[in-house]
């Protein structure tokens, strides 16, 4: 057993706030009439992989997720709308995104979040029933929720001395 592993008791106790956090997020989406909450869980997972950074959420994850949804939409709808030309255009867009990744260009827009959303939403069983506008709305709600949560956690975890010093200034 590694040093960093936590006990089952601590893991269980940690699950209580995690479940409350996810339940609140799900409830907010449902109150807004958004049913595709799973799309937001992708956002939450990816954000966690980026150390729950508010900067990463705003500068890369949000734009990347939106681009990923948009390209998945293009891949799914353009060939149906204009046939082979639409398929060729769609594939050129994907090729451009891959080239941007290889060249390290447009990192704010073309990043891991872009590929996560593009890949998952392009799965045929998901693409055929996709509600792309709702996906975008869930991503926006998720970003607001995660951003506010991050801000609140920083506010709560600040040492009390910092609060006192800021009042003295």
């Amino acid at each position: 057993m590694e040093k960093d592993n936590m006990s089952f008791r601590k893991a269980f106790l940690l699950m209580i706030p995690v479940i409350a956090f996810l339940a609140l997020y799900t409830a907010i989406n449902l109150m807004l009439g958004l049913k595709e909450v799973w799309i937001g869980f992708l956002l939450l997972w990816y954000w966690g992989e980026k150390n729950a950074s508010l900067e990463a959420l705003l500068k890369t994850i949000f734009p990347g997720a939106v681009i990923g949804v948009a390209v998945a939409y293009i891949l799914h709808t353009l060939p149906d709308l204009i046939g082979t030309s639409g398929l060729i255009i769609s594939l050129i867009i994907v090729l451009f995104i891959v080239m941007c990744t290889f060249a390290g260009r447009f990192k704010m827009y073309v990043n891991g979040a872009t590929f996560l959303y593009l890949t998952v939403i392009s799965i045929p069983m998901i693409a055929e029933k996709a509600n792309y506008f709702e996906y975008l709305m869930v991503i926006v709600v998720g970003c607001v929720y995660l951003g506010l949560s991050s801000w609140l956690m920083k506010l709560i975890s600040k040492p009390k001395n910092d609060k006192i010093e800021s009042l003295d200034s």
Side-chain angles (χ1 to χ4, degrees):
M1 190 160 133
E2 296 177 22
K3 286 183 182 179
D4 293 7
N5 289 346
M6 80 175 52
S7 69
F8 279 110
R9 181 176 180 271
K10 285 182 181 177
F12 178 75
L13 291 174
L14 181 62
M15 290 308 300
I16 294 168
V18 168
I19 290 168
F21 181 81
L22 295 176
L24 179 60
Y25 172 70
T26 301
I28 290 168
N29 276 282
L30 294 176
M31 285 188 298
L32 294 171
L34 302 171
K35 297 175 184 138
E36 302 287 348
V37 179
W38 66 272
I39 273 294
F41 290 142
L42 289 176
L43 184 76
L44 174 62
W45 172 80
Y46 193 76
W47 182 63
E49 287 291 312
K50 297 295 177 188
N51 298 319
S53 161
L54 182 58
E55 183 177 343
L57 180 67
L58 299 176
K59 289 189 175 180
T60 60
I61 297 172
F62 175 72
V66 170
I67 297 294
V69 172
V71 174
Y73 174 77
I74 290 168
L75 276 172
H76 188 246
T77 58
L78 208 53
D80 289 342
L81 290 174
I82 57 176
T84 305
S85 298
L87 178 61
I88 292 168
I89 293 168
S90 300
L91 293 176
I92 288 171
I93 291 170
V94 172
L95 180 61
F96 176 74
I97 287 175
V98 171
M99 288 172 45
C100 287
T101 302
F102 289 164
R105 305 294 170 121
F106 307 114
K107 290 180 182 181
M108 181 173 176
Y109 305 103
V110 179
N111 50 52
T114 309
F115 283 99
L116 175 64
Y117 279 91
L118 174 58
T119 302
V120 171
I121 297 172
S122 294
I123 296 169
M125 287 126 344
I126 294 173
E128 69 185 29
K129 297 177 183 175
N131 182 340
Y132 297 96
F133 181 72
E134 184 168 327
Y135 292 168
L136 292 173
M137 296 306 298
V138 171
I139 289 169
V140 168
V141 170
C143 285
V144 170
Y145 183 73
L146 295 175
L148 285 174
S149 299
S150 178
W151 177 75
L152 285 172
M153 289 306 294
K154 281 184 181 178
L155 193 66
I156 291 169
S157 64
K158 259 189 178 178
K160 291 182 181 182
N161 293 341
D162 287 351
K163 291 179 184 175
I164 293 170
E165 287 176 17
S166 66
L167 292 174
D168 291 339
S169 301

